[in-house]
Amino acid sequence: MKVLAAVKRVLDYSVRPRIRSDGSGVDLANAKMSMNPFDEIAVEEALRLREAGVASEVVVVSCGTTACQDTLRTALAMGADRAILVQTDVELQPLSVAKLLKAISEREQPQLVLVGKQAIDDDAGQTGQMLASLLGWPQATNASKVAPGDGEATVTTEIDSGLRIVGIRLPAVITCDLRLNTPRYTTLPNIMKAKKKPLETVTPEALGVDPAPRLISLKAAEPAARRGGTMVPDVKTLVDKLRNEAKVL
Ligand code: AMP
């Protein structure tokens, strides 16, 4: 079976985001960008399925500017077979990405689409769910274990009260959580090999999708600086401070 994995280029998790001085968003100029960590997990899972003989091909897809080619090359260096860039300079929101991934899924006919449970830049956690809904396919979210069977898959999710195990028919969309696996590192020989792997570029127009954003960001701001904590000698003082200083009681 063919597995499609979606990979987003985001601000590296180790970089502290800086807000632009006009409050119009996060300043990405000269910032280190990387593959969204949950998408590394999605790619890793797809590769493990191929290595286990379950998947025959792993195709990775990214939507965004030409810079996303770097992200796709990283996925190819991890071991993906080929890559598709849906190239646009338009700011993409989850619904637009879901529509683009739907168009690619209809073209590629994968049995499984793996996406991250959320992108660490917008923290939306929406794209996989919207994609499944647009395709009319089953979905399993926040997977911590995926066990594919014949035309179906069993997916485990960690929830507050324990584990939730669901069975879904394929084709399906699965969103990947942190403990699903530990992604492999890319090695220099594989980075070199990845340069020769196929990377196709398509446009939203060619896919018949209008990627224009539906939501407008009004303002971005730094969170208020935290004030230092104080130790109180007893509960009575704590309640007094909460009532008279913090005025939250
Ligand atoms: P979000 O709904 O924005 O939190 O994103 C959830 C997941 O959807 C990500 O982890 C990616 O797998 C996928 N995704 C979101 N945006 C893109 C994009 N521009 N290109 C490729 N995949 C994306």
Side-chain angles (χ1 to χ4, degrees):
M1 75 176 179
K2 189 191 285 187
V3 180
L4 205 71
V7 294
K8 185 177 187 184
R9 180 176 182 264
V10 296
L11 184 65
D12 189 87
Y13 72 92
S14 63
V15 175
R16 188 177 181 279
R18 281 173 294 133
I19 302 294
R20 285 194 213 108
S21 51
D22 62 0
S24 61
V26 175
D27 186 3
L28 297 179
N30 303 319
K32 184 180 176 204
M33 305 292 285
S34 305
M35 189 191 302
N36 182 45
F38 295 106
D39 302 352
E40 288 182 358
I41 294 170
V43 174
E44 176 66 34
E45 195 63 18
L47 296 175
R48 290 185 188 195
L49 290 176
R50 195 192 57 201
E51 285 157 4
V54 177
S56 50
E57 189 183 24
V58 174
V59 182
V60 285
V61 187
S62 191
C63 310
T65 64
T66 44
C68 297
Q69 286 182 358
D70 291 348
T71 317
L72 289 169
R73 289 284 172 211
T74 304
L76 291 171
M78 286 173 75
D81 297 296
R82 60 187 172 89
I84 303 170
L85 168 64
V86 183
Q87 192 192 325
T88 175
D89 291 336
V90 172
E91 179 211 322
L92 291 174
Q93 293 175 351
L95 182 58
S96 305
V97 177
K99 288 179 182 171
L100 294 169
L101 293 177
K102 172 181 185 258
I104 294 287
S105 302
E106 284 171 346
R107 205 188 70 171
E108 293 286 333
Q109 299 283 314
Q111 284 293 96
L112 194 58
V113 180
L114 295 173
V115 305
K117 77 159 182 179
Q118 75 192 73
I120 61 165
D121 52 359
D122 61 15
D123 273 343
Q126 297 172 354
T127 307
Q129 293 86 333
M130 286 176 170
L131 172 63
S133 169
L134 291 173
L135 284 167
W137 288 3
Q139 61 176 295
T141 53
N142 301 356
S144 61
K145 189 173 172 203
V146 175
D150 188 15
E152 54 176 31
T154 306
V155 179
T156 306
T157 299
E158 292 173 4
I159 55 174
D160 284 348
S161 52
L163 299 176
R164 184 187 62 201
I165 300 169
V166 294
I168 49 169
R169 272 194 299 277
L170 302 180
V173 178
I174 296 177
T175 77
C176 303
D177 207 345
L178 201 61
R179 273 183 288 275
L180 181 58
N181 60 49
T182 305
R184 67 197 64 188
Y185 289 108
T186 50
T187 60
L188 192 57
N190 286 343
I191 293 171
M192 300 312 287
K193 268 191 229 159
K195 290 184 198 285
K196 295 203 178 118
K197 289 189 181 176
L199 193 161
E200 178 194 0
T201 300
V202 291
T203 60
E205 295 71 43
L207 296 172
V209 175
D210 173 9
R214 299 280 190 92
L215 306 173
I216 302 166
S217 302
L218 298 180
K219 190 170 184 283
E222 296 276 355
R226 286 188 173 201
R227 286 186 293 158
T230 47
M231 294 290 283
V232 289
D234 50 39
V235 173
K236 186 173 169 301
T237 318
L238 174 66
V239 172
D240 183 61
K241 278 182 174 288
L242 290 173
R243 182 167 294 140
N244 300 316
E245 284 180 25
K247 298 200 190 307
V248 291
L249 291 184

